[in-house]
Amino acid sequence: MRNFGLRHSCALGVLAVAGLSATPALAQAEVETAGASEDNRIVVTGSFIRGTPEDAALPVDVFTADDLAEQGVDSPLEFIKELPSVGASLGDTNQFSTDAQGFQGVGSLNLRGLGPQRTLVLLNGKRTILTPGAGFVDTQLMPLFALERIELLKDGAGSTYGSDAIAGVANFITRSTFTGFEFQGDYNFINGSDDNYSLSALMGFEFADSANLVVGAGWQHRSELGTFERDFVNVGYETNPSAYSALATPGLFAATYFDTTTGALDTRLARDVGCTELGGNVDLGRCYFTYVPFDNIVEDEDRYQVFGQLTIDLSDNVRFQADGLYARSDLLSLNYSPAFPPTQGPRGSGFVSAFTTSPANPGVSVFLDQVGLPQSSAALPLVAVTNVLYRPFGFLGNPLDPERGAGRGLARNEAYRISGGFDIQLGSNLTLDIDGTFWESDRVAYAPGIVGSRLQAALNGFGGPNCTGTTPGANGCLWFNPFVNAGPGNGTYNIANPFYAQGFENSEELINWLQIPNGTNEEESQFVFDLVLSGDTGIELGGGPLAFAVGAQYRDTRYTSDPLLATSDLNRNPCFIEGDRSCVGTTTEGVGPFIFLGGSRPVKLSQSVYALFAEVNAPISDRLELAAAVRYEDYGSPVGSTINPKGSIRFEATDWLTLRGSVGTTFRGPLASNVSPNFVTALEGFTAAGGNYKSKDIFGNPTNLEPETAFTYNIGAIISAPIGSGDFTFSVDYWSIDLKDRITITPGNAIASFVGNGQTSGQAPVDCSSPLVNLITFSGNTCIQGTTLGIDISRVRTDFVNGPDVKIAGLDFALNASFPVSDSAELRFGANAVWNLDYSFDDFLVQGVNVQPAYDAVGFGNYFRDPNTVPEWRANGFVALSFGRFNARYSIQHIDGVTDDRCVNVNPCFSTAGGVGTNFGAESGSYTQHDFGITYDLEVAGADVQLQAAVENFTDAEPAEAQLPLGYNPFIGNAIGRNYRLGIRTRF
């Protein structure tokens, strides 16, 4: 059995983070004891040792429910994105990012930018619902209406909680002793949208003098916000060519005639009409199509949560507590491109001439007249029509969506969680906690995919679900018209098509047969058993008793994934042609029958983990406190086991100065899906292919994937002192994480660029003798030296590996102050900031080749490399004035701009196909958002009522520019713009 994580065990006694940290700008309250037992024993996030908040040696930031309400936060994602310590987080639609594909509607928490899989998210101190197969919690499922507070530990906690806590821990804690009734309603006015709104209710009851029951439900609705509603998205082809594709309708076709007088073939290229008339751009004789206007900035979404919690004192020494959560999110009309472009056809890989159209197709004769080509005749018969550069629908839009013409997909998340256990007092100083947690999460998601062999059949007149016989267009067989004359116009831009030929449309019946849901039904469940014994040892030290905690944990995880339809099941349809299996055992096995999207294979995985842990807290004196912890976790074969220690110290140097520090190791084990022998397919705009989106196959690693480990340390100081009749607290912390054997996938974009000789245009030859050419599939499944171009890349293979080491470091700053202005008024202000000093990656070697030399990610967009965007500075601040029943708050959030890493020593950074240069997004620019909110408290008919109003982003700041399809960086600002919020909260 292998052992990992012992490299730095000798550092166990070195300085560790201790003492309560200064709360950040959003948080004004210290740790409260609501939900604790009457003797004021609580467990603070990061430790299993019970004690009062003043004794807890932990760097925990606390955000109460009132803090979030005052800020106007109405979703967990909104709270998360305002934290300076958080990196790129999923949640807003960004389907063009490989990391975000397939996760619409999911909110992640990504502390330090290390990836959401490295932040452990808890609900009431216990593990909670993960997004199936992804390894991170969907925070949007959290019952925000039932929360008492959120505790955020920005320090590695693997020695306490086990895997996933490399960057830190977020603990969402509910109101377990709430009594009464609370109603909350919000309405958010957003320009260009049908607005967002939410409702929630919470009830709490006490009965039998020993029990409390809390139940509640919430609903949040987000309305669709189309990309065409924001001018900064649609900046034009010559400014942002990354939003355009040469594969379009109108397409480029080749008409081949047989010259009966000479006996030779006569092929004539012709671009279909209507490019500029329908909103496109002509460059080098091709029509460049932008799919972005068919997509959304925000998808139409409904989220539901139902939560209940029961607390019963069974005796003076035994308490039972259980909670249950049901949550669902529905995104039933996800917008996509009207149809994806082909990266392959029924004859093999490649997008050029992937399909042909029968000369007998009814749309051909109209096309020939419109482009000025001769009709077929006895002297010059038309023998072939080739779709040279083409995608179905294009600017005409998808007829199944008459309003906008988008392709429609779906995502639905549904989950439940039950957790409960006993808190048993074995004596005055000893407690035994026995808990069990079970959760199950289901996700159904699909995008619309066109089956290549079906499309080819329909182009030849043999389309449709009821086609029989051998006569094109007869016996239930339908024609697919690929030309501009097939549709009335561009619905998104409300442009009429002057070349529309009525009667030549493609029927809904045919389209429903051609374009089918391509996706998966994923399910993951986990059972967790926790046993913790904690208390005092009986040994008295200068500052109090020596306290300890020991325990064990068992986790059993099950994961399944099944293709929604047989067509996308690669076990049944592994080849280019639906139903064909001749490719099995060859290099093209697994390409699947869709023209763009990949398929999937049924997956059934399980993983069991056993853990033992211990920690001790030693208050040496009233001013000096030491702590230590160690955890052993065993994953079994093939992963192995890991041991991780941690040490901490807290020293009150003076009454106003506290010094703190920590050192230890933490870890993360591979997910079951990481060690699966199967693969999944994502899409990426490969630089070597001119930014065009191609398939990226991600293979699991069942043979040699090990846990990743991290050596972490923190050194900080807190200054806290009264100033006059007010309070002032300032803290600064230096933190460092040295991540080893990082679990990641090989960099597909870097591999493609290496084989593509570093090109960015897609029009230069690739190196067919490259040692990594075996990882690339090209058009025609061959690579010809000097002939095959970057644009011919069809798919890239990547694998889960233990990648290069990463070193990150930075400084956290927090400032909070409050001053009474009068007997009934108080002025409060604060700020919170993170200065990222280092985010260094070592060389990335693939098959012994350095495809990605070492780099520091700070200050760069990192759009096609880890860890995505890392601004040097992120900060927020506020000023709040409370007097009587009235509270006013001004908030500011700032995120530094970044440099596009693709633009270093390159000018211009990007260019159109015709060579027009652009530096759009080379320097993104920073983002600063200003918000203003007020609340007013009053009593109405015996109820406490709070009226809320806010203007968010009142300067209407735009997000930072980026050479990405949407035209902006979704992690530096937001695209919502100025919006207004009204709310009411009523308590009985």
Side-chain angles (χ1 to χ4, degrees):
M1 179 170 294
R2 298 187 296 270
N3 284 282
F4 311 100
L6 289 171
R7 295 185 182 91
H8 309 287
S9 59
C10 61
L12 181 60
V14 184
L15 295 177
V17 168
L20 288 172
S21 70
T23 52
L26 283 176
Q28 303 307 310
E30 294 183 356
V31 181
E32 297 179 352
T33 58
S37 56
E38 293 182 358
D39 60 0
N40 202 37
R41 291 192 304 265
I42 72 165
V43 177
V44 181
T45 301
S47 173
F48 290 116
I49 297 175
R50 293 169 178 258
T52 64
E54 290 76 18
D55 294 334
L58 296 167
V60 180
D61 292 343
V62 182
F63 307 81
T64 69
D66 288 340
D67 296 329
L68 302 185
E70 183 180 301
Q71 183 68 6
V73 170
D74 59 5
S75 75
L77 179 65
E78 187 178 353
F79 157 72
I80 289 165
K81 292 182 70 172
E82 292 183 358
L83 297 172
S85 56
V86 168
S89 294
L90 301 179
D92 291 330
T93 296
N94 184 21
Q95 61 172 279
F96 303 108
S97 167
T98 301
D99 293 337
Q101 288 168 20
F103 294 119
Q104 294 95 333
V106 174
S108 64
L109 204 166
N110 181 12
L111 283 174
R112 305 302 188 197
L114 274 174
Q117 299 89 347
R118 297 179 180 93
T119 298
L120 181 63
V121 178
L122 307 173
L123 178 59
N124 291 326
K126 301 294 186 292
R127 288 178 178 256
T128 191
I129 302 164
L130 297 175
T131 303
F136 58 82
V137 167
D138 180 2
T139 60
Q140 296 288 62
L141 302 180
M142 290 291 184
L144 193 66
F145 59 89
L147 289 184
E148 175 189 279
R149 65 185 186 271
I150 302 171
E151 296 181 351
L152 190 67
L153 172 64
K154 297 178 294 184
D155 188 26
S159 59
T160 303
Y161 293 109
S163 182
D164 309 337
I166 286 178
V169 180
N171 190 5
F172 290 74
I173 300 171
T174 58
R175 293 185 272 185
S176 62
T177 57
F178 174 76
T179 58
F181 176 83
E182 180 174 294
F183 169 83
Q184 175 79 40
D186 298 277
Y187 198 96
N188 200 198
F189 299 87
I190 299 173
N191 184 38
S193 163
D194 288 336
D195 304 324
N196 298 348
Y197 35 89
S198 66
L199 293 171
S200 66
L202 187 70
M203 295 179 290
F205 310 92
E206 288 186 353
F207 53 92
D209 296 327
S210 61
N212 181 264
L213 175 66
V214 179
V215 293
W219 167 53
Q220 305 88 44
H221 175 79
R222 300 178 81 195
S223 294
E224 179 181 283
L225 178 64
T227 53
F228 57 88
E229 297 288 354
R230 296 294 182 263
D231 292 338
F232 53 78
V233 174
N234 307 288
V235 294
Y237 174 64
E238 292 188 351
T239 301
N240 183 18
S242 71
Y244 290 78
S245 169
L247 302 176
T249 292
L252 180 67
F253 294 87
T256 301
Y257 299 87
F258 179 70
D259 190 333
T260 57
T261 60
T262 64
L265 294 175
D266 180 7
T267 298
R268 308 182 188 185
L269 278 176
R271 176 173 47 82
D272 201 358
V273 293
C275 183
T276 56
E277 292 88 345
L278 291 171
N281 292 76
V282 177
D283 195 355
L284 297 182
R286 307 164 184 169
C287 180
Y288 278 81
F289 163 74
T290 177
Y291 37 83
V292 170
F294 297 93
D295 291 289
N296 288 329
I297 295 171
V298 176
E299 299 288 358
D300 196 80
E301 178 181 5
D302 286 284
R303 297 193 300 267
Y304 312 88
Q305 306 90 26
V306 178
F307 178 79
Q309 185 162 325
L310 175 65
T311 304
I312 303 176
D313 289 327
L314 300 176
S315 70
D316 292 340
N317 297 318
V318 180
R319 167 174 285 188
F320 172 77
Q321 189 169 66
D323 60 69
L325 171 66
Y326 169 82
R328 193 179 87 199
S329 61
D330 292 338
L331 295 91
L332 305 182
S333 57
L334 294 175
N335 271 33
Y336 291 94
S337 171
F340 297 121
T343 59
Q344 62 184 36
R347 294 176 294 168
S349 297
F351 65 93
V352 177
S353 303
F355 295 92
T356 59
T357 300
S358 169
N361 190 303
V364 168
S365 61
V366 180
F367 162 75
L368 294 175
D369 283 342
Q370 289 178 338
V371 299
L373 290 177
Q375 293 287 340
S376 183
S377 64
L380 196 66
L382 180 67
V383 295
V385 177
T386 304
N387 307 22
V388 181
L389 296 175
Y390 163 78
R391 86 165 67 204
F393 308 134
F395 278 120
L396 295 183
N398 192 310
L400 298 181
D401 178 17
E403 182 178 352
R404 286 183 57 187
R408 289 297 179 92
L410 173 148
R412 172 180 284 129
N413 309 310
E414 189 170 26
Y416 70 92
R417 175 186 183 271
I418 300 172
S419 182
F422 297 90
D423 180 343
I424 305 171
Q425 294 299 126
L426 301 178
S428 60
N429 298 314
L430 204 59
T431 303
L432 177 65
D433 288 312
I434 304 172
D435 296 280
T437 301
F438 179 82
W439 58 260
E440 180 176 298
S441 179
D442 299 278
R443 180 173 173 84
V444 176
Y446 66 75
I450 287 181
V451 181
S453 53
R454 296 188 186 187
L455 176 59
Q456 185 57 69
L459 290 167
N460 293 334
F462 294 104
N466 302 311
C467 181
T468 60
T470 58
T471 303
N475 301 315
C477 298
L478 303 174
W479 289 98
F480 183 81
N481 183 358
F483 304 106
V484 160
N485 59 69
N490 184 333
T492 289
Y493 285 139
N494 197 27
I495 300 175
N497 178 13
F499 305 101
Y500 171 43
Q502 207 163 17
F504 289 82
E505 304 89 351
N506 293 304
S507 70
E508 291 188 12
E509 178 188 19
L510 176 61
I511 296 167
N512 279 319
W513 178 75
L514 287 175
Q515 190 179 53
I516 63 175
N518 183 4
T520 57
N521 185 351
E522 296 178 279
E523 179 182 300
E524 186 167 356
S525 64
Q526 186 178 73
F527 171 72
V528 185
F529 176 76
D530 290 291
L531 180 69
V532 180
L533 179 67
S534 62
D536 299 341
T537 62
I539 301 173
E540 287 292 327
L541 302 176
L546 179 68
F548 78 98
V550 295
Q553 184 181 79
Y554 169 72
R555 303 196 304 272
D556 180 74
T557 306
R558 308 294 173 95
Y559 170 74
T560 62
S561 177
D562 293 296
L564 283 181
L565 300 175
T567 307
S568 55
D569 186 341
L570 296 179
N571 286 345
R572 301 184 187 185
N573 288 285
C575 306
F576 296 109
I577 299 175
E578 184 181 12
D580 178 36
R581 296 185 56 82
S582 62
C583 67
V584 174
T586 71
T587 56
T588 60
E589 179 182 357
V591 294
F594 291 90
I595 68 173
F596 186 64
L597 299 173
S600 61
R601 301 180 190 271
V603 173
K604 188 173 184 178
L605 306 169
S606 63
Q607 187 178 69
S608 295
V609 180
Y610 303 84
L612 298 171
F613 53 89
E615 59 176 306
V616 63
N617 183 278
I620 304 301
S621 70
D622 290 340
R623 292 186 176 272
L624 178 63
E625 181 181 276
L626 301 177
V630 65
R631 186 179 181 104
Y632 167 82
E633 197 143 312
D634 185 7
Y635 283 77
S637 179
V639 177
S641 62
T642 175
I643 297 176
N644 290 270
K646 182 175 181 178
S648 64
I649 188 172
R650 172 182 180 269
F651 177 57
E652 293 184 13
T654 68
D655 291 340
W656 53 269
L657 175 64
T658 300
L659 304 177
R660 62 190 185 189
S662 76
V663 67
T665 67
T666 188
F667 71 100
R668 185 174 76 92
L671 301 175
S673 55
N674 298 159
V675 295
S676 167
N678 295 320
F679 71 89
V680 297
T681 300
L683 306 170
E684 187 165 314
F686 290 107
T687 303
N692 286 278
Y693 278 77
K694 307 289 185 176
S695 298
K696 181 169 77 170
D697 299 322
I698 306 170
F699 283 77
N701 184 346
T703 57
N704 59 1
L705 194 62
E706 301 178 351
E708 60 186 23
T709 61
F711 175 64
T712 67
Y713 67 90
N714 296 259
I715 300 173
I718 305 170
I719 298 173
S720 182
I723 298 180
S725 56
D727 295 311
F728 172 87
T729 303
F730 173 77
S731 69
V732 59
D733 292 272
Y734 175 83
W735 48 268
S736 173
I737 303 175
D738 189 0
L739 184 60
K740 304 289 186 182
D741 299 323
R742 181 173 60 103
I743 299 171
T744 186
I745 62 171
T746 49
N749 191 67
I751 291 170
S753 292
F754 183 84
V755 176
N757 295 313
Q759 65 176 291
T760 60
S761 66
Q763 302 301 313
V766 302
D767 181 8
C768 295
S769 64
S770 169
L772 301 182
V773 74
N774 63 306
L775 300 177
I776 309 288
T777 300
F778 296 96
S779 298
N781 303 318
T782 59
C783 187
I784 303 173
Q785 195 73 36
T787 300
T788 300
L789 307 179
I791 195 70
D792 292 316
I793 294 171
S794 294
R795 58 198 316 124
V796 178
R797 171 174 177 144
T798 63
D799 298 83
F800 274 99
V801 295
N802 290 111
D805 296 343
V806 180
K807 169 73 173 180
I808 70 173
L811 287 169
D812 287 347
F813 302 91
L815 169 68
N816 279 278
S818 62
F819 301 93
V821 179
S822 67
D823 292 340
S824 60
E826 182 183 48
L827 177 67
R828 294 175 286 119
F829 62 88
N832 196 28
V834 172
W835 183 12
N836 289 305
L837 299 174
D838 187 20
Y839 211 129
S840 299
F841 288 77
D842 287 350
D843 294 340
F844 206 130
L845 303 181
V846 177
Q847 298 180 10
V849 177
N850 186 1
V851 298
Q852 191 167 272
Y855 62 94
D856 186 351
V858 173
F860 292 99
N862 307 303
Y863 299 123
F864 292 96
R865 67 185 190 186
D866 289 337
N868 214 304
T869 300
V870 183
E872 185 175 359
W873 279 94
R874 287 178 63 108
N876 62 32
F878 77 96
V879 177
L881 178 64
S882 302
F883 52 94
R885 300 173 180 269
F886 183 82
N887 180 78
R889 179 186 179 106
Y890 162 74
S891 303
I892 184 171
Q893 179 185 10
H894 175 81
I895 307 175
D896 263 2
V898 294
T899 298
D900 191 324
D901 45 289
R902 298 168 293 179
C903 295
V904 176
N905 300 321
V906 178
N907 187 27
C909 298
F910 308 98
S911 61
T912 65
V916 177
T918 173
N919 284 319
F920 175 78
E923 298 293 336
S924 73
S926 61
Y927 177 81
T928 303
Q929 178 173 316
H930 304 267
D931 305 325
F932 181 74
I934 58 174
T935 63
Y936 184 74
D937 298 312
L938 66 158
E939 292 185 8
V940 179
D944 294 327
V945 177
Q946 183 179 82
L947 303 178
Q948 305 162 350
V951 182
E952 298 176 353
N953 191 11
F954 61 73
T955 63
D956 203 21
E958 297 180 356
E961 295 179 350
Q963 189 75 211
L964 298 171
L966 290 176
Y968 65 88
N969 186 327
F971 307 120
I972 302 183
N974 70 73
I976 303 299
R978 183 189 299 114
N979 61 97
Y980 305 88
R981 174 181 173 270
L982 295 176
I984 183 172
R985 183 175 66 183
T986 303
R987 290 174 175 171
F988 298 94

